[in-house]
Amino acid sequence: MSSKANPERAGGAELRGARTRDLNRLTELIIGAAIEVHRHLGPGLLESAYEECLCYELSQLGLRFVRQVHLPVGYKGIKLDCGYKMDLVVEDSVILELKTVDHLLPIHSAQLLTYLKLSGKKVGLLLNFDEPILRKGLKRLVHRFEAPAETHDTSAPSAIEVAENLNTRHPNDSLISVSPRLCASAVNK
């Protein structure tokens, strides 16, 4: 059924599209502010200095943000403080994880993905201010991105889709579980 024949579906797709455009525009503004900070300070300072200056730039753009946001872990219906802290959350939509390291490692991406998962946010930026050119220390990560409703993707399934299809109940009621990482290596060969 096309989105023209179903106005409710069309409205949902339009809202998702508008939300995606808004998030893209917001991340562009944030990246611009981070580049401005890096242009003036260069690499080599403490993370706290970059955070302070980035907050100044975000405020000059009129963007709302919260610093050092505690992120509890939900466990069996309760929230537990396990020490997670997000550096910045901008417009209650984008998580910023600031770094001052030689180069970004997979653990840094995993940290931001964990924050996205626990917070329910969809987009995060990993910013490494210790790079000579900030663009080389920048990663935009998306968690559970919703594709537009009317896409007809003919590509191979993602590792996550393969894992979700394989994580099914076995006839004897035991759960067969396959790691997405294992699936990714199988799909990429």
Side-chain angles (χ1 to χ4, degrees):
M1 181 185 292
S2 76
S3 59
K4 290 181 182 177
N6 186 344
E8 186 176 304
R9 178 180 243 175
E14 288 172 17
L15 284 175
R16 280 191 302 276
R19 174 94 170 120
T20 299
R21 282 189 299 280
D22 290 346
L23 281 172
N24 287 342
R25 180 67 184 133
L26 180 57
T27 56
E28 287 172 9
L29 290 170
I30 294 167
I31 291 168
I35 289 171
E36 180 70 10
V37 169
H38 192 268
R39 185 176 312 159
H40 283 273
L41 297 179
L45 301 177
L46 294 174
E47 184 182 306
S48 58
Y50 296 108
E51 181 179 327
E52 192 71 36
C53 295
L54 183 56
C55 288
Y56 172 79
E57 290 297 328
L58 295 173
S59 67
Q60 293 301 299
L61 293 170
L63 297 176
R64 293 176 296 121
F65 59 88
V66 184
R67 298 171 70 169
Q68 299 301 315
V69 180
H70 288 273
L71 186 59
V73 173
Y75 177 74
K76 293 187 175 184
I78 60 170
K79 301 283 184 182
L80 299 172
D81 182 2
C82 295
Y84 291 117
K85 257 200 265 187
M86 299 179 285
D87 289 336
L88 289 164
V89 179
V90 181
E91 292 291 326
D92 197 33
S93 299
V94 179
I95 298 173
L96 304 185
E97 184 57 32
L98 311 182
K99 298 292 179 194
T100 54
V101 293
D102 288 337
H103 58 278
L104 293 174
L105 298 172
I107 191 72
H108 299 127
S109 296
Q111 178 187 13
L112 181 54
L113 284 171
T114 297
Y115 292 171
L116 290 169
K117 178 183 172 187
L118 291 175
S119 69
K121 308 280 187 245
K122 293 193 184 306
V123 178
L125 292 173
L126 190 54
L127 301 164
N128 182 16
F129 284 95
D130 238 18
E131 288 284 350
I133 299 170
L134 184 62
R135 186 181 41 191
K136 292 182 180 179
L138 170 67
K139 272 191 169 183
R140 183 180 190 266
L141 300 176
V142 179
H143 179 66
R144 284 195 223 161
F145 182 75
E146 294 178 23
E150 291 298 314
T151 60
H152 298 286
D153 189 6
T154 58
S155 65
S158 72
I160 301 299
E161 290 169 330
V162 171
E164 286 173 351
N165 289 335
L166 292 175
N167 288 337
T168 57
R169 292 255 173 224
H170 190 268
N172 68 4
D173 260 349
S174 62
L175 181 66
I176 300 171
S177 181
V178 178
S179 156
R181 181 172 284 158
L182 270 176
C183 291
S185 63
V187 170
N188 292 329
K189 286 188 179 183

